[in-house]
Amino acid sequence: MKQVTALILAAGAGTRMRSKLPKVLHKVCGTAMVEHVIDAVQEMHVSKTVIVIGHGAEQVEDALAHRDVQFVLQREQLGTGHAVMQSVAALPDEGNVLLLCGDTPLITRETLEELVRFHEAGDYQMTVLTAEIEDPTGYGRIVRGKQGNVEKIVEHKDADDVQRAIREINSGMYCCDAKLLKESVVDLNNDNQQKEYYITDVVEILNQKGYRIGAYMVADETEIMGVNSRVQLADAEAVMRRRLIEKWMDMGVTFIDPQNTYIDKDVKIGNDTIIYPGVILKGKTKIGEDCIIGHNCRIEDSQIEDKVEIQASTILQSFVGEACHIGPYAHLRPGSKLGKNVKIGDFVEVKNSSIGDGSKASHLAYIGDAEIGKNVNIGCGVVFVNYDGKNKYKTIVEDNAFIGSNSNLVAPVTVRKYGYIATGSTITKEVPEGALSVAREKQKNIEGWVARKGLLKKEE
Ligand code: UD1
Ligand code: CA
């Protein structure tokens, strides 16, 4: 394969999105649309990726700052041809240019590779990625000559009735000889219905000069779906989601109800894991093998090891060790790190804390800024009092400690090994190793108090 340079047009306004966010930054399965396109071309190892920005340029540039791309600014959006004119200096003379749009997130590396292969094998100077669709309204039509060769592309708005009846459409993606593309865009004009410089006119220019134009038709037309509105955004999301879930099903993951499961592009899931309905897996989440992810879990940027069972819980930027049981209704906030066989039960919130192997907090507790050892029992209603209104402090609980129900651990404080805290205690000082600590008022009983107060009911 010759050298390929990717040129992605992303300067358009995207008016129909009715959004403050530039269109190409809207996300499909957790990734900005334009990044899906960047991923596809960079997976095929293009020599360079050039992005034309204009509308919301600063925002787009910021969002893509971490990517290996070069930006070209198109100050005024005078058409797709105009966008390419602005890019001439950024394009090499050698090899081919893969010309794409930033709002077609469903295009795959495989199809782009096939497009380039078809282009080279057929010895074409330009090849258009096309599709045959039921309703071609709005798209540019592929006009072929008597021998079936591509002659030109006519935009819907400029087409006559005969041309409008053509069902082979332009996807807006092309492979073109770099040098010829640069030479041809100079000859474009905006003499058309939209008063725009159309890149599609390059086809006719090259054809008239006797160059060979190819048309490569996609097998799966969803790949060329462009997103111009929120409705199309949801459509694209549905296609992408289905694709991702099918990939994981093929890898041995069970989805009880794929249509009600939401996963981002970078999520990874191990073999024999079962995912129940209403689950949302986001960001760089990685789930191990043989896990059960129960209904309505939301897990973001977290690592879940093998054999973990989670029910109806929220887990953010956390690590969950092997064979843990979480939920229902637990909340692991960022920076939580659980060892193996940890149990975090209902209405337990954990934040920025590590919890050692075999420890349990089964119900109704808040654990914040803590370092908890192994086999610790945290009773119902325990609060780690980590905040004095100004600063946050740390609590250390060593191995085999027992924190009785409804206790408060006022940080900074340490409970040594086998420290045993009586229920209802408010602990402000270190609990020594193996000690029982009782920190509450002793019970006193005042006999006959109720009768003296006249509070007895009549029948008694
Ligand atoms: C374009 C094609 C049409 C094709 C369709 C496929 C032209 C003239 N027509 O039409 O044949 O069927 O795509 O979806 O090319 N852009 C810029 N700068 C501009 C104008 C557009 O960067 O000045 C970018 C847009 O951000 C977008 C892409 O180019 O990513 C396509 O532009 P758009 O206006 O959506 O083209 P269509 O009218 O859909
Ligand atoms: Ca348009």
Side-chain angles (χ1 to χ4, degrees), residues 56 63 78 84 87 93 126 161 163 178 239 253 271 274 304 349 357 373 399 405-406 408 411 445 448:
L78 304 179
V84 179
S87 319
D93 286 328
M126 183 171 188
D161 286 348
Q163 290 164 336
V239 174
V253 178
N271 179 257
I274 303 176
I304 312 296
E349 175 178 338
D357 297 353
D399 295 353
S405 291
N406 219 36
N408 302 309
N445 298 334

Side-chain angles (χ1 to χ4, degrees), residues 9-13 23-24 52 74 76-83 100-104 138-141 153-155 169-172 174 194 196-200 224 226 228:
L9 308 188
K23 179 167 81 172
V24 295
V52 182
Q74 184 194 20
E76 276 182 291
Q77 287 79 58
L78 304 179
T80 48
H82 182 258
L100 309 168
C101 298
D103 60 359
T104 53
Y139 287 100
R141 307 296 208 283
I153 297 173
V154 181
E155 287 307 292
I169 58 106
N170 171 26
S171 68
Y174 323 81
Q194 305 190 79
E196 281 180 13
Y197 295 88
Y198 290 167
I199 195 59
T200 43
I224 62 148
N228 298 304

Side-chain angles (χ1 to χ4, degrees), residues 197-227:
Y197 295 88
Y198 290 167
I199 195 59
T200 43
D201 288 347
V202 168
V203 172
E204 193 173 8
I205 293 172
L206 290 179
N207 180 54
Q208 279 174 357
K209 288 185 177 160
Y211 291 111
R212 283 167 54 77
I213 314 292
Y216 179 74
M217 206 183 283
V218 279
D220 172 6
E221 61 179 62
T222 63
E223 284 198 34
I224 62 148
M225 242 168 85
V227 173

Side-chain angles (χ1 to χ4, degrees), residues 242-254:
R242 182 75 204 177
R243 255 194 219 165
L244 291 170
I245 290 176
E246 273 177 15
K247 176 184 87 178
W248 290 114
M249 291 196 285
D250 288 345
M251 306 276 276
V253 178
T254 294

Side-chain angles (χ1 to χ4, degrees), residues 340-342 355-360 372-378 397-403 418-419:
K340 294 180 185 162
N341 288 301
V342 171
I355 301 181
D357 297 353
S359 290
K360 291 188 173 72
I372 297 172
K374 295 180 185 165
N375 302 313
V376 169
N377 187 84
I378 296 183
V397 179
E398 293 184 354
D399 295 353
N400 299 299
F402 184 98
I403 316 297
Y418 284 101

